[in-house]
Amino acid sequence: MSEFAMLLTSILTITLRAGTSLTYATLGEIYTERTGILNLGVEGMMLTSAVSAFAISYYTGNPWLGVLVAMLAGGILATIHAFLTVTMRANQVVSGLSITLFGTGLSSFLGERLGPESNGGNLVGLIGPRFSPVVIPWLSDIPVLGALFRQDVMTYILYLVIPIAALYLYKTRNGLNLRAVGESPQTADAMGISVTRTRYIYTILGGVMIGLGGAHLSLSYAPGWSENITGGRGWIVIPLVIFAMWNPWRAVLGAVLFGGINAVQFRLQADGTRIPAAYLNMAPYIITIVVLVVMTWWETLSHRTGAPAALGKAYMREDK
Amino acid sequence: MRVLLEKRRSVSRKAIVLVPVASFLVSLILGGILLAISGANPFTTYAAMITGAVGSGYGITEVLVKAVPLMLTGLGVGLAFQMRFWNIGAEGQLTMGGVAAAGVALFWSQSLPPWTILPLAILMGCVAGALWAFIPAFLKAILKVDETLTTLMMNYIAILYSEHLYYIAWRAEGYNSGTARFPEFAWLPQFAGRANIALFFALIIAVVLWFVFKYTRWGFELKIIGENETAARYLGINIARNIMVALIVSGAISGLAGASEVLGLSHRLQQGLSVGYGYTAIIIAWMSQLNPLAIPFVATLMAILLVGGDQIQMKMRLPASVGLVLQGMLLLPMLAGSIFNEYDIKLQKRSSSEAEQSPEEVQA
């Protein structure tokens, strides 16, 4: 293999590793937003699920139990968000923010409290079970694209989840209903679809997927627990959904873009660049702003938007 | 029996006071449950937090020290929230304020008369915070770019930049991190313990903002934009200009918080400038229902939780983040309760005539 092909392979490998948690969370958020509920609690949900996943797999020795608990943690926080925004009609932005603030505090509390006595109750710095890359024979020998088959099992599952998520959204009755709720709750209501129930279901499902993203961070990407392990990934998910134009297929693009930035950063640092590390680390955040500006500008120019029409609005039968 | 929601004409006065108080109690109960599950006695923990925070002169001055940046950032984000501009970038605005003030104190002292340094450092702190808030405000006003995300991304950029400065670019020789100490004429005067006069700046700004919202046309315009943007447009209010001006003020107030942190407390730029005050500010502004006069009180309450958290870490070896969890929990019952502000909730027995058609169904 040429040197260039090897470089590409290594960048793609890191891209996929870094992009997995982002893609899970982006898919989850797409489903939630498609029903008209904006969930800004992603960061807090990813943190809480990452710490619970690590704690459970550390004590049981079984990372799958960790994944399960992470899904549960994401689902519970999403249920709170659904209750506040759907049932209590609270402002969706503020509710999401408070879920993030709560989740951030809770995760650092749990991280300092759930650890073993020998480590002062701390989970930081411990080594637990993890999902290691599983190299698939033959396929992994393909030049460059072989990187697709040198991933951990959660990434392989993601390869299945993406098409399922897209087909469910576009080709099934349930998918049609949930899109209807996000576009025009009044019409959906008149058609006999329960707006409340739909929004609850997919907000919680979204939380479960976000939980999977958190689990991947502490069980494979990091692996381990450290405070604020997400480094803002939960926030980057929100513009990624816009970038994907609420389409599950395109969720991959954004995650690859941001995973790719991570990979390039990683390579540059490994090669001993003269650019200060801080400036390299700013790249994802600056690019997020640029992506937002470009997407917003493009939407204004082309007079089209991918956003569900009822996104961010509480629904009441009386107000029309 | 069915539950009916009726939109109120005006916000309920009783609910405005009762909901935050009830939310505080509910979050204490939930926090107590969490403490109990994690194997700590909630009653002794809470008692230790309270005595740690307000049971000694040291505790009280520390509460004041922590309350200042919380008041300022709370006032800053509260101003933006009035227009429903979701400025969650107070953390970055504070950080840049601290960076700019430190820059003035470190590098302008040689060439300018000493008495000008402190006012200039404060001023440049405000300017830097204002600039940091202006970028997202400009993007929102001109291009309609969502401000929640841009303000937040600006936080990460500011924090990385400040780290670069105190770890590498501005690091004092012989230290692993942190700049050199500022000359003493660049320090904010302290009046009790570490509590410094920035407290009075915060209180004055609170009163000024209250006056602005109560009596001035500008305050009225901001409120209208927040309540009903379409109406604001019909009234001929220039929304883009208001967003930019308000965010310059909002960022400047948070920048002042950063300046007062470095000039009044650390006397150098070092780790610990950005500790999440800008996020707690969101909780404070919302708990205060955006009332500038309520913000100093709520900020002090939050400072008690933070200092109390530090105290139980030392005394009971419990994580200081208990304070953060309690703060994070505050908004959840508060949001659930906000429905009482805007809606009348009525329980109605289904009478025979209504059994067929309930009022809601008639309208639907």
Side-chain angles (χ1 to χ4, degrees), chain A residues 109-130:
Chain A
F109 173 74
L110 293 177
E112 289 174 279
R113 188 73 186 154
L114 290 182
E117 204 56 52
S118 57
N119 200 31
N122 227 311
L123 281 175
V124 180
L126 297 177
I127 296 170
R130 65 182 66 172

Side-chain angles (χ1 to χ4, degrees), chain A residues 33-57:
Chain A
E33 290 195 13
R34 277 284 187 170
T35 66
I37 298 290
L38 175 69
N39 175 12
L40 293 184
V42 186
E43 177 83 353
M45 293 159 72
M46 278 179 97
L47 281 167
T48 308
S49 47
V51 75
S52 357
F54 181 74
I56 296 297
S57 58

Side-chain angles (χ1 to χ4, degrees), chain A residues 296-312:
Chain A
T296 315
W297 189 50
W298 180 80
E299 279 177 359
T300 322
L301 280 186
S302 63
H303 296 291
R304 55 184 276 199
T305 159
L311 183 60

Side-chain angles (χ1 to χ4, degrees), chain B residues 68-88:
Chain B
V68 170
L70 291 174
M71 286 179 196
L72 287 169
T73 50
L75 291 164
V77 300
L79 171 63
F81 285 4
Q82 288 279 5
M83 303 183 290
R84 296 294 181 271
F85 182 103
W86 304 112
N87 174 16
I88 49 178

